[in-house]
Amino acid sequence: MRQVMTNTEHDRQQSELFTPIAVGSKTAPNRVWMAPMTRGRARQDATPTEVMVEYYRQRATAGLIITEATAVSAQGYGWLNSPGLFTDEHVSAWRRVTDAVHEEGGTIFVQLWHMGSVVHPDFFAGEPPVAPSAVRQEGEIPTPQSPQEPRALVTPRGLETSEIASVVDQFRSAFRRAIDAGFDGVEIHAANGFLVDQFLRSQTNLRSDDYGGSIDNRARFLLEVVDAAANEVGSDRVGVRISPTNAVWGIADDDPLTTFSRVAELLNDKHIAYLHVLEPITDEEHFMKPGLSRVRPLIRAVFDGLLLGNGGYDFDAATADLAEGNVDAVAFGTPFIANPDLVDRFVNGHPLNGPNPETFYTPGAEGYIDYPAWGDRS
Ligand SMILES: Cc1cc2nc3c(=O)[nH]c(=O)nc-3n(C[C@H](O)[C@H](O)[C@H](O)COP(=O)(O)O)c2cc1C
């Protein structure tokens, strides 16, 4: 029997979300990418677990998966039960994840972070964390000694100029391990108030050496990390994530429009796979400081490469932004938590499962690998 397509179905399938796109030397089959999301299911020593293998396997139809933030070193590690990529055991455990995703035909980049000043001293036997400058960020965070009652962040120790190369080397080792673990590429986490973002923003970077002051100086650390990544994995397998207007952990810049459009311009010379901009299209305050102008349109104007948008998108908003040329692909966060088969649901217009925030960071399978695909509903 001939299948008859309704107008709405036809319109859905015309969405550019389903058009393949080149990412460096690979081609992503669609533009529905999975945003990085910390889920707290790793072991206490930062080794990925079996439930993580299943979680990422279930989501392999994403055009590209970006993993949860993964620590480059013990110095950069401070989120309970988040994963790392700084021991051989981490590499073998991640290999099980990448194998599973590849068996399903998927592509997976690992997001790599150093948390800088957002690590509580409990992780370091009482020593303060490191940062570009001794600027205390706002907020509280659970620690091994106090998992149920988060503890206030402290004033970090400003890095000596002579130490910075060794921090870049921590990233370099993780990039090398990412290849050993079978990842298709890496995403440098320069967003959300962690170490690279602390260097970029004027209110957390008060340095007077070559890594502080002018925007080009504040961007130097990021660019050195990008160069290290390009050397280890090839620039066409490197993504960078920024969040110009968010205020998580009280992070702030005096002039985000100028800072981040310049950062985007500087990245042009690096020929990276993509630039990922977290800047909500909705007025969600958590990821956007009220009163700031959006920076993404300016970045679009100056950045020559693939621009990945993220923040509050649904199918219609993503389709519209692609059609208007505002972004080249869209990363979906919370929709992917609750819908392992998000691409299929978008293609067919099926309703979405709603996510349960209470299990975003809790251990185990619940609220993690038990969200049903459309065909598995009971
Ligand atoms: C549970 C949870 C964990 C997150 N962890 C990370 C992370 O590890 N790295 C990161 O860059 N962003 C992280 N984010 C932000 C998401 O990548 C994304 O930017 C945000 O959810 C907005 O996109 P959405 O509206 O599609 O959910 C997290 C968000 C959530 C809800």
Side-chain angles (χ1 to χ4, degrees):
M1 204 169 75
R2 221 184 83 196
Q3 288 253 314
V4 179
M5 224 189 238
T6 66
N7 269 345
T8 333
E9 274 170 330
H10 183 260
D11 288 349
R12 292 195 78 80
Q13 291 176 18
Q14 292 306 303
S15 169
E16 275 181 58
L17 278 173
F18 312 126
T19 312
I21 183 165
V23 190
S25 53
K26 296 200 84 162
T27 300
N30 62 58
R31 296 157 192 240
V32 182
W33 295 9
M34 179 170 161
M37 283 176 295
T38 295
R39 303 299 312 276
R41 263 72 174 187
R43 282 186 355 209
Q44 268 213 344
D45 67 356
T47 306
T49 53
E50 278 310 300
V51 278
M52 291 168 64
V53 177
E54 182 56 19
Y55 171 75
Y56 285 110
R57 180 207 303 279
Q58 289 176 348
R59 286 155 182 77
T61 51
L64 186 140
I65 293 175
I66 304 158
T67 70
E68 63 211 277
T70 299
V72 296
S73 63
Q75 187 196 63
Y77 184 78
W79 192 292
L80 283 183
N81 294 101
S82 67
L85 198 44
F86 52 90
T87 70
D88 292 345
E89 207 177 352
H90 299 160
V91 172
S92 334
W94 272 121
R95 171 58 82 168
R96 294 181 52 74
V97 172
T98 60
D99 282 349
V101 170
H102 291 149
E103 270 163 31
E104 301 292 328
T107 300
I108 181 165
F109 276 37
V110 59
Q111 189 190 52
L112 289 165
W113 67 349
H114 182 306
M115 293 174 66
S117 62
V118 185
V119 184
H120 191 274
D122 279 0
F123 282 87
F124 304 138
E127 292 296 313
V130 298
S133 306
V135 176
R136 180 181 180 149
Q137 287 182 253
E138 292 166 13
E140 300 178 330
I141 194 157
T143 80
Q145 285 83 338
S146 185
Q148 303 305 333
E149 286 174 45
R151 293 188 166 163
L153 296 177
V154 304
T155 305
R157 176 176 73 76
L159 285 159
E160 302 290 337
T161 308
S162 58
E163 286 178 282
I164 292 183
S166 72
V167 184
V168 175
D169 279 342
Q170 294 169 23
F171 277 90
R172 193 188 315 278
S173 305
F175 297 141
R176 208 171 292 146
R177 286 197 154 97
I179 295 302
D180 295 343
F183 285 106
D184 299 295
V186 298
E187 178 175 286
I188 296 164
H189 194 347
N192 296 357
F194 300 105
L195 184 70
V196 183
D197 205 14
Q198 292 158 24
F199 269 95
L200 291 175
R201 305 231 209 173
S202 60
Q203 294 188 20
T204 39
N205 183 342
L206 311 179
R207 303 181 68 90
S208 53
D209 62 4
D210 286 352
Y211 293 89
S214 67
I215 300 172
D216 287 30
N217 274 359
R218 282 186 270 130
R220 191 179 306 280
F221 180 72
L222 167 64
L223 297 177
E224 288 182 0
V225 171
V226 171
D227 285 342
N231 280 334
E232 297 301 330
V233 309
S235 60
D236 60 343
R237 299 211 272 176
V238 178
V240 172
R241 181 176 230 215
I242 54 175
S243 55
T245 40
N246 89 10
V248 179
W249 311 109
I251 193 94
D253 187 87
D254 293 335
D255 183 1
L257 278 168
T258 313
T259 296
F260 285 94
S261 53
R262 177 67 185 152
V263 168
E265 223 170 47
L266 290 166
L267 286 169
N268 278 334
D269 289 341
K270 304 295 178 190
H271 307 290
I272 55 176
Y274 65 84
L275 178 59
H276 187 175
V277 179
L278 161 52
E279 189 169 84
I281 53 166
T282 56
D283 289 328
E284 203 225 316
E285 289 188 12
H286 183 56
F287 287 118
M288 173 125 189
K289 192 170 178 174
L292 290 181
S293 306
R294 288 196 156 73
V295 182
R296 204 249 291 130
L298 198 52
I299 291 177
R300 181 55 159 181
V302 300
F303 183 66
D304 299 336
L306 193 165
L307 188 64
L308 176 62
N310 166 255
Y313 280 96
D314 59 12
F315 174 83
D316 289 335
T319 299
D321 254 11
L322 286 170
E324 286 164 25
N326 297 331
V327 291
D328 300 303
V330 175
F332 295 87
T334 32
F336 257 117
I337 289 184
N339 299 278
D341 56 340
L342 186 65
V343 177
D344 186 54
R345 285 176 191 248
F346 279 168
V347 169
N348 293 297
H350 296 316
L352 303 187
N353 300 320
N356 175 10
E358 301 206 335
T359 50
F360 276 3
Y361 303 107
T362 48
E366 196 198 338
Y368 191 54
I369 53 170
D370 55 358
Y371 286 106
W374 181 255
D376 298 336
R377 289 161 304 134
S378 47

